[in-house]
Amino acid sequence: MDVRFYPAPPSSVGSCSLPTDPNCLSSLDYYRCNKSRYGAGERGVSVRLPPGASPDGKRLLSPGNYTGQSGGNGGGDEDYEIPPITPPNHPDPSLLHLMDPESGYLCHSLPHNGLINPYSYPELPAIMMSNMLGQESHLLSGQMHAIQEMARPDGLHFDSAHQGPLINQSPRILSHHMGALSQLNSQVGLRGALTYGSPSPPGSKSATPSPSGSTQEEETDSHAKMAGEKRPSSEMMKKPKPQKKKKKKDPNEPQKPVSAYALFFRDTQAAIKSQNPNATFGDVSKIVASMWDSLGEEQKQAYKRKTEAAKKEYLKALAAYRASLVSKNYSDPVEPKSVQSSQPSHMMAPKPALSVHRYTGSSPCTRAPSSTSQSATPHQMGLQASLHSPPPGQQGFPHIQSDYQNSSQSPGAPNPASGQNPDWDGEYCSRECGGNLCSSVIGRDKPLYLT
DNA sequence: TGGTTGATTGTTAAT
DNA sequence: ATTAACAATCAACCA
């Protein structure tokens, strides 16, 4: 297997597409946040582009398309302050250190439309294929660079002292990853060679919706949709929708805790996607699955403990929710609905987003708006930690570890990873409060990690 | 079966 | 008629 890194074109420096850029995290996280808010049934927060954007803009939720406005829809205090996205030519100085001068890889930048500039990659198909290989090794960040070094004996960019615990602890895992990733890489790479060679790869099809649609695009499109047309055209619509679901859940009902795997997926996919923007959901899913498969039992248990804790929280919230329903029906049997959707609610159960709050705590919804522009995301922390000098013990799946640690963990609950990582609490804490509250407690702040 | 994500498309309500 | 907002769907995988 030929795994190589291809330096990013110099011109791309600065338009960081990774979530390591605090200024870049806004759009997707914002969208995700609002998606979750849909679930919470809260109104007043628009996911759409701000006024003035093209009507098609609502389809363009890819990173970088948001301008930082929250929509101005009169949501008032529901609005978020979205930090402006760093313009391509003005890299966030705080992130320049993240650039690998040799590979240019870390801030392997894509244009904000998410497409690889074909002029920067004259031999695009081959590079994309190889890049995918490199990226997919790289995307496993800290714990995987050893794999890269195995694959690339020259081992250019990484300090071998920074091997993750999974690798340190379990060479089996390493070989397992190698095997799994080789397989995945070949799959992804093959598909990439077949389809990503198009100027409008499927992975970015949404980034440049072509109104007219060239024949090449149509061809690609047909390839992409062969596996399954998302929505059959009206004349092809033979059978009515299954109507299988949507029982119209009460938005105030606490969200069920997600499974350990889902938690892991949530934590991991962003990093994978950022390193491999063209990866489809299927690719990411496979990668996550292989990572999950290779995850140490200890880490899995940590996730499971997390879900257990979340489950407890869920049960509590559910009890409160049901109690609130009872009391609501008792006190106001006429309009239970209006009460649900707009509760000032000293009576109501805590909102799901607060009481259960997505369990990882990585959701930007839980962050104070003022901290979003300054504090790194969990993934940022993880990637930065893994790609730079991780503090001792900050190894393995740092972004993952840091993420699942950050959750609805009850104050007295055992810290799943604290035993192996003394910095855990600090990072968890600093992320949760933006470092303002906790630096005094832990004695240092995350900038230590960033530099 | 439902959960993970993001893109896309369909539907509905409002203007 | 147009547009905004929301819902549904799809992918691979796991519990």
Side-chain angles (χ1 to χ4, degrees):
Chain A
M1 181 172 69
D2 180 21
V3 179
R4 288 173 293 172
F5 283 100
Y6 288 82
S11 61
S12 67
V13 171
S15 63
C16 181
S17 64
L18 289 181
T20 47
D21 184 346
N23 293 323
C24 290
L25 69 90
S26 56
S27 60
L28 282 180
D29 278 352
Y30 183 56
Y31 175 65
R32 185 181 314 139
C33 176
N34 282 285
K35 274 182 77 177
S36 70
R37 292 172 70 87
Y38 292 160
E42 294 182 17
R43 301 304 186 93
V45 177
S46 174
V47 193
R48 300 295 187 266
L49 285 173
S54 95
D56 290 337
K58 64 181 179 180
R59 308 274 188 233
L60 301 176
L61 289 170
S62 57
N65 280 324
Y66 270 111
T67 58
Q69 301 296 318
S70 59
N73 55 0
D77 49 8
E78 291 287 340
D79 283 351
Y80 284 94
E81 286 282 336
I82 304 301
I85 294 172
T86 305
N89 293 329
H90 298 83
D92 185 339
S94 68
L95 291 166
L96 288 177
H97 68 282
L98 293 175
M99 288 297 301
D100 185 331
E102 290 183 20
S103 68
Y105 192 86
L106 202 155
C107 265
H108 181 164
S109 313
L110 294 172
H112 274 177
N113 61 7
L115 294 175
I116 293 177
N117 180 0
Y119 300 104
S120 304
Y121 295 90
E123 61 279 281
L124 191 56
I127 278 190
M128 290 181 88
M129 188 163 167
S130 298
N131 224 4
M132 297 277 288
L133 301 181
Q135 285 183 359
E136 290 209 0
S137 294
H138 180 84
L139 55 83
L140 300 179
S141 50
Q143 79 282 8
M144 289 306 297
H145 70 274
I147 295 176
Q148 295 166 356
E149 289 180 354
M150 286 179 59
R152 298 177 298 116
D154 52 321
L156 286 176
H157 308 306
F158 294 99
D159 181 356
S160 60
H162 296 158
Q163 294 182 359
L166 287 175
I167 292 172
N168 285 337
Q169 296 165 5
S170 175
R172 179 190 64 83
I173 289 176
L174 187 148
S175 58
H176 190 125
H177 264 313
M178 274 301 275
L181 283 172
S182 298
Q183 199 173 4
L184 289 167
N185 284 338
S186 61
Q187 293 170 1
V188 173
L190 178 61
R191 197 165 48 76
L194 289 175
T195 62
Y196 292 170
S198 160
S200 182
S204 60
K205 56 176 180 250
S206 67
T208 55
S210 174
S212 57
S214 65
T215 54
Q216 194 175 12
E217 258 188 2
E218 286 170 359
E219 201 172 45
T220 305
D221 213 33
S222 65
H223 279 133
K225 294 183 176 180
M226 279 232 279
E229 184 72 39
K230 295 203 173 198
R231 280 189 196 262
S233 56
S234 54
E235 65 270 20
M236 294 174 61
M237 190 113 56
K238 34 203 82 124
K239 57 174 143 187
K241 283 178 190 170
Q243 297 285 1
K244 53 185 175 184
K245 55 175 155 188
K246 285 336 157 193
K247 31 239 174 192
K248 271 301 173 192
K249 276 182 63 179
D250 183 350
N252 288 314
E253 186 175 347
Q255 284 184 305
K256 276 189 167 182
V258 298
S259 68
Y261 179 78
L263 213 54
F264 180 76
F265 188 100
R266 185 192 290 169
D267 287 349
T268 314
Q269 62 83 25
I272 295 173
K273 206 75 163 74
S274 66
Q275 293 292 336
N276 199 345
N278 286 327
T280 64
F281 180 86
D283 299 331
V284 173
S285 182
K286 286 175 184 171
I287 294 168
V288 172
S290 74
M291 289 173 71
W292 175 257
D293 198 38
S294 302
L295 203 62
E297 199 56 39
E298 194 176 338
Q299 279 96 349
K300 282 186 183 177
Q301 285 302 323
Y303 271 94
K304 288 171 184 172
R305 281 194 293 269
K306 204 75 188 165
T307 58
E308 288 297 318
K311 190 177 176 182
K312 288 178 185 173
E313 289 293 319
Y314 166 74
L315 291 176
K316 278 197 287 186
L318 189 63
Y321 163 75
R322 287 178 175 165
S324 75
L325 281 187
V326 171
S327 65
K328 196 61 58 184
N329 288 332
Y330 178 77
S331 63
D332 188 10
V334 181
E335 287 187 283
K337 252 194 168 167
S338 62
V339 175
Q340 287 174 5
S341 59
S342 64
Q343 73 295 58
S345 182
H346 48 282
M347 297 272 300
M348 292 300 291
K351 290 180 185 178
L354 295 176
S355 59
V356 187
H357 67 79
R358 309 267 296 175
Y359 303 109
T360 66
S362 61
S363 167
C365 301
T366 62
R367 278 186 229 123
S370 61
S371 67
T372 44
S373 61
Q374 299 192 352
S375 61
T377 67
H379 307 296
Q380 295 165 3
M381 299 299 295
L383 286 170
Q384 290 165 6
S386 61
L387 293 169
H388 267 267
S389 300
Q394 185 68 28
Q395 299 171 332
F397 295 96
H399 56 292
I400 300 163
Q401 192 177 64
S402 63
D403 232 14
Y404 71 70
Q405 290 155 356
N406 179 12
S407 82
S408 60
Q409 185 176 23
S410 59
N415 185 333
S418 58
Q420 66 183 31
N421 184 0
D423 292 334
W424 191 88
D425 280 334
E427 188 182 345
Y428 164 65
C429 190
S430 63
R431 190 169 49 252
E432 187 70 8
C433 64
N436 295 329
L437 300 177
C438 310
S439 57
S440 61
V441 176
I442 62 176
R444 61 181 185 181
D445 203 348
K446 58 179 180 304
L448 193 61
Y449 300 89
L450 296 175
T451 58

